[in-house]
Amino acid sequence: MFTPAAKSMAEQLGLKLGRANLDEFAATLQSLAEADRNIVAVTSDSRGSGKLAPFGKALPKQLVEVGIAEQNLVGITAGLAACGKRAFGVSPSCFLTARSLEQIKNDICYSNVPAVLVGISSGVSYGALGSTHHSLHDLAVLRAIHNLTIIAPADNFETRAAIQAAARTTKPMFIRFGKAAMYDCSSTFQCRDERAGRSELDIGMSSYSVGQVRVLRDGNDLAFIATGETVIHALLAAGQLAGQGVSARVLSMHTVKPFDAAAVLKAGRECRAVITVEEHSVHGGLGEACAATLLQAGVSVPFRIVAIPDEDTVTGAQADIFRHYGISMEGLAEAAHTLLKRA
Amino acid sequence: MRPIPITDHELAQKAAALRQRMLRLIVQAGAGHTGGGLSCLDILNVLYNRVLRVSPETFTDPHRDRYVQSKGHCVEALYVVLADRGFFPDADLDTVCRYQSRYVGHPTRKIPGIEMNTGALGHGLPICLGMALAGKMDAAPFRVFTLLGDGELAEGSNWEAAMAAAHHRLDNLVAILDHNTLQITGHTRDVMSNEPLDEKWRAFGWEVRTINGHDYAELTRALTEPPPAGKPLFIIANTVKGKGVSFMENVGKWHHGVPSEAELAAALAELDATIHRFST
Ligand SMILES: [Mg+2]
């Protein structure tokens, strides 16, 4: 996923390589479930891919297996949630958000039950397996459905915080992430100094709030507004740009809906250019949400959406696909220079 | 929380009156699912007056029985039964399908007494599985009921749920089939044949009971007698689409036909005669 140059930039920025957000999710959910027997995971033969085998072993009564049947998975998750369970439906995002879209729309969002849907290995995490296994549509289709909080955490910290929030939610939630090891983007968080001597949970409470952008790095020449596991690439690009005299702000838009319009407008007003980054189709995702927000507020700023274009997705591993479409430190730094020439 | 005692006679009388109310409601709203509403009304009448341990007072009790109407389009039948049971004032029904009314043409949880929003077919059974699983996890005493249409069984999600319910040994789950053999295009056997339903559901591991869906004694017995331990219960309720109004019975156009004033008057008169017959 990361070139030697990117790795050395991460080191320079003091970013530590953590585990996959998927692993962080599974560990967090299990520790929450050990303390609350109402927490239930629902899997569609996906406990292995969801890293929930240890959960199933430790808490067999809190894991419901439905077989390879995603429609049933979502309906059952809704029914459990309607009867007081803190139900997490866990399935690859590609299947969960396409095959069972109607169940998400009606059984969970329209019925307004506090169910949590976890789209594992989202985006192009399954890179080489091909488009059947990609979810480049999930943010777009789910954004168009009323009454759903949509979250794509950047790193282990945001994943943990999102799962903790989900375990307390009173409204429908969708969380998607990948399975590659992630750098800890939060160690650069602006309130880092406040973190000294505080427990991890306290840090979570203080610096993470569903629906609120986290500004991971300040800067006024250009703003990267990124979501999910593209945030790290924006952060590294900002590091590289700093050495080239460009100060880049990095926003982690971990919550795609509800949308933190104020942070986007602030970035659009204070920076000379805006680049959005997402592991998703160019259509209907974070980029278009930002564009609509800026345009409707009359904020005109050189703007570029870095995402997967509307074409047969290039074949290869996730890292290949990212690199091909410029979702990389190098690609984003280059996009920044190009865009700033117009500013 | 105990069901109120009511005789078969009283139920029959009530059913005719509820059919009248439902037809007036559909005419007033200018829309509705007339034939299917009439075919499932006796089932709902027995459920809410004899079987379900739920009432307006106990609707928030976590131990209440759950009913999810998978064939959500027949909401008018559910509305009149719920109003009759006092879940909301009957006058509310004057607003069905009106601008800004919460009483829309399919069930929603905004209406007291309704558990889940339904209307797209093939959703009720999986939801009920989740509810039944929650009940099992908590060793809670409630049962979970859903009502399916026979045309609805073409939705594959039902069969995902059929498999999973038996696998999870959900003997607190009851699926009732409103087996009126018709759907919007015509006879179910011509649109997408689904027989033999009893053998299919049995093969999926369910206890299957086939009954007359307009017979109160048969309905009561099938709905109250518990199935063998570990088996979900599938009740094939043989019904007549348009039941209770002779010119609507088994006539496809009444799937969502709205009666004219004259047709309404004729239907009400026929149902008046039914009420009269059961009051002597
Ligand atoms: Mg039918």
Side-chain angles (χ1 to χ4, degrees):
Chain A
M1 179 62 80
F2 301 95
T3 59
K7 282 180 187 162
S8 104
M9 177 57 66
E11 202 169 311
Q12 205 180 308
L13 294 176
L15 308 181
K16 292 209 169 55
L17 190 62
R19 54 181 166 180
N21 288 343
L22 176 62
D23 291 304
E24 187 69 25
F25 147 74
T28 305
L29 188 64
Q30 186 173 336
S31 73
L32 290 167
E34 277 161 359
D36 179 357
R37 66 180 187 87
N38 269 326
I39 292 178
V40 176
V42 188
T43 54
S44 49
D45 198 21
S46 48
R47 82 180 73 186
S49 33
K51 298 290 171 100
L52 290 173
F55 181 114
K57 225 168 221 156
L59 305 163
K61 291 195 172 128
Q62 286 167 251
L63 187 138
V64 176
E65 179 58 68
V66 306
I68 305 170
E70 291 80 12
Q71 297 180 68
N72 206 25
L73 172 111
V74 177
I76 285 175
T77 303
L80 285 163
C83 284
K85 295 295 168 194
R86 301 210 156 271
F88 286 70
V90 184
S91 190
S93 199
C94 51
F95 311 132
L96 180 66
T97 62
R99 193 180 201 108
S100 31
L101 182 61
E102 192 180 69
Q103 280 77 10
I104 297 176
K105 167 178 169 259
N106 295 339
D107 305 353
I108 291 181
C109 299
Y110 183 41
S111 286
N112 189 28
V113 295
V116 183
L117 295 171
V118 179
I120 57 176
S121 298
S122 63
V124 292
S125 291
Y126 287 128
L129 299 188
S131 282
T132 51
H133 284 61
H134 296 171
S135 57
L136 297 173
H137 63 279
D138 50 359
L139 301 180
V141 296
L142 296 178
R143 276 182 68 226
I145 292 173
H146 170 61
N147 195 32
L148 183 65
T149 296
I150 303 171
I151 295 182
D155 62 1
N156 292 179
F157 168 77
E158 288 190 2
T159 302
R160 188 163 64 247
I163 299 302
Q164 285 170 346
R168 298 186 301 267
T169 189
T170 57
K171 306 287 278 180
M173 270 178 102
F174 169 75
I175 304 172
R176 57 111 89 170
F177 44 74
K179 63 191 179 71
M182 270 300 114
Y183 279 100
D184 173 18
C185 302
S186 301
S187 56
T188 63
F189 189 60
Q190 58 182 6
C191 70
R192 174 168 40 183
D193 296 343
E194 299 167 21
R195 296 170 67 169
R198 301 177 68 173
S199 77
E200 289 213 339
L201 189 68
D202 287 341
I203 297 164
M205 304 310 263
S206 69
S207 71
Y208 184 93
S209 180
V210 170
Q212 205 169 13
V213 155
R214 301 172 76 229
V215 181
L216 300 182
R217 188 182 170 110
D218 259 328
N220 287 319
D221 290 327
L222 174 124
F224 286 115
I225 305 175
T227 189
E229 296 172 16
T230 66
V231 170
I232 178 62
H233 299 282
L235 204 50
L236 295 174
Q240 183 174 316
L241 288 166
Q244 298 159 350
V246 175
S247 99
R249 182 180 303 191
V250 178
L251 275 59
S252 173
M253 198 92 183
H254 52 80
T255 308
V256 175
K257 197 179 169 189
F259 189 76
D260 189 349
V264 170
L265 291 174
K266 189 166 187 288
R269 287 185 176 121
E270 293 177 356
C271 302
R272 292 191 289 127
V274 171
I275 294 178
T276 66
V277 199
E278 63 201 297
E279 186 180 358
H280 187 269
S281 164
V282 289
H283 294 312
L286 174 72
E288 287 190 354
C290 290
T293 299
L294 292 166
L295 197 56
Q296 289 185 97
V299 178
S300 179
V301 61
F303 183 85
R304 162 103 199 268
I305 295 174
V306 176
I308 310 294
D310 186 10
E311 64 181 35
D312 259 1
T313 306
V314 71
T315 55
Q318 183 184 36
D320 299 320
I321 297 171
F322 270 35
R323 202 172 341 100
H324 184 83
Y325 294 118
I327 305 173
S328 62
M329 177 180 80
E330 296 83 353
L332 291 173
E334 192 188 320
H337 286 303
T338 307
L339 195 62
L340 281 169
K341 281 190 196 128
R342 276 170 44 195
Chain B
M1 201 135 163
R2 292 203 62 77
I4 52 171
I6 186 165
T7 66
D8 286 3
H9 228 71
E10 288 164 333
L11 271 180
Q13 240 187 332
K14 186 189 279 292
L18 290 172
R19 285 188 161 91
Q20 289 183 322
R21 180 69 187 99
M22 193 194 90
L23 291 171
R24 288 204 312 271
L25 165 59
I26 287 172
V27 168
Q28 184 178 17
H33 287 80
T34 311
L38 291 171
S39 80
C40 70
L41 194 129
D42 291 315
I43 298 167
L44 294 176
N45 197 16
V46 171
L47 272 174
Y48 276 93
N49 289 297
R50 270 190 179 159
V51 179
L52 294 177
R53 294 177 315 139
V54 65
S55 65
E57 297 73 36
T58 60
F59 187 61
T60 53
D61 184 335
H63 285 175
R64 71 188 179 279
D65 285 342
R66 303 319 199 264
Y67 170 73
V68 175
Q69 187 159 313
S70 194
K71 50 176 295 182
H73 54 285
C74 293
V75 71
E76 296 86 8
L78 181 59
Y79 280 160
V80 299
V81 169
L82 289 176
D84 178 66
R85 285 287 280 112
F87 281 91
F88 48 80
D90 182 80
D92 280 15
L93 295 178
D94 295 344
T95 71
V96 168
C97 292
R98 294 273 175 80
Y99 176 59
Q100 292 192 328
S101 170
R102 60 181 174 160
Y103 293 83
V104 300
H106 289 93
T108 75
R109 298 175 83 203
K110 291 189 175 149
I111 309 304
I114 293 183
E115 297 281 359
M116 288 296 274
N117 299 11
T118 52
L121 296 173
H123 288 242
L125 192 53
I127 291 169
C128 286
L129 249 77
M131 293 177 162
L133 279 161
K136 287 286 180 192
M137 286 174 189
D138 294 342
F142 65 81
R143 298 172 81 199
V144 185
F145 297 78
T146 188
L147 180 69
L148 306 166
D150 46 5
E152 178 181 5
L153 290 184
E155 291 283 6
S157 49
N158 288 306
W159 302 97
E160 293 184 5
M163 221 183 295
H167 177 85
H168 287 288
R169 299 176 54 82
L170 297 177
D171 52 14
N172 54 350
L173 173 66
V174 183
I176 308 154
L177 181 69
D178 182 8
H179 192 226
N180 59 29
T181 71
L182 287 164
Q183 59 190 99
I184 195 164
T185 301
H187 286 282
T188 299
R189 65 170 180 266
D190 297 327
V191 180
M192 184 47 62
S193 49
N194 57 22
E195 301 290 350
L197 286 169
D198 52 349
E199 288 177 32
K200 282 180 185 163
W201 286 83
R202 230 167 250 134
F204 271 80
W206 289 55
E207 161 84 352
V208 178
R209 294 174 186 161
T210 303
I211 59 161
N212 175 347
H214 301 299
D215 183 295
Y216 297 122
E218 288 191 31
L219 277 166
T220 305
R221 201 177 322 117
L223 287 164
T224 50
E225 273 180 20
K231 284 206 166 202
L233 174 58
F234 192 75
I235 297 176
I236 300 173
N238 289 319
T239 56
V240 174
K241 200 157 180 171
K243 176 72 178 180
V245 180
S246 52
F247 63 89
M248 293 179 176
E249 290 189 358
N250 287 316
V251 177
K253 77 158 185 171
W254 290 107
H255 176 87
H256 53 11
V258 176
S260 67
E261 285 299 324
E263 288 165 334
L264 176 65
L268 295 179
E270 192 177 335
L271 289 161
D272 269 338
T274 307
I275 294 173
H276 184 71
R277 196 164 72 245
F278 282 103
S279 62
T280 52

